[in-house]
Amino acid sequence: ELENQLTAKSKTLDELKQSLASNGSAEQSPEAQSLRVAELCEMKDSIENQVAQLKVSMESILEQWRAYDEIYAEVSLMTTRYLYCIDQCKPSGEEASLEALKKQVKTLQ
């Protein structure tokens, strides 16, 4: 949203600059030029504020993604370990005997 507003403000600023250049300074009174310059400065300040807000917002979002990546890696590792343990602990059809289970427990220890 801020990015769209920034783009719109930049276009408006460019249009105003172009309009100022095409009108020429001889056709405008000094008061009109002064108002136009003040308007352009105000728009520039507004754009700078929006860029600063966007930077802060993006930094926050990047920090949240970093935290997500760290947690995802941890969960992925735990899931892999869990699946490995389940795979090692489940008896197949031929290993269902008590002796086979004892051997498997010894192997895991």
Side-chain angles (χ1 to χ4, degrees), residues 15-59:
E15 289 171 3
L16 287 172
K17 285 179 182 177
Q18 197 173 43
S19 174
L20 181 62
S22 67
N23 286 340
S25 59
E27 297 176 10
Q28 295 181 359
S29 68
E31 295 84 17
Q33 288 179 352
S34 177
L35 287 174
R36 181 68 60 107
V37 168
E39 184 181 344
L40 290 174
C41 288
E42 188 177 311
M43 292 175 76
K44 178 184 161 273
D45 291 341
S46 174
I47 290 172
E48 287 175 349
N49 287 337
Q50 289 178 3
V51 167
Q53 289 174 353
L54 185 60
K55 284 182 180 180
V56 169
S57 176
M58 291 303 294
E59 287 173 5

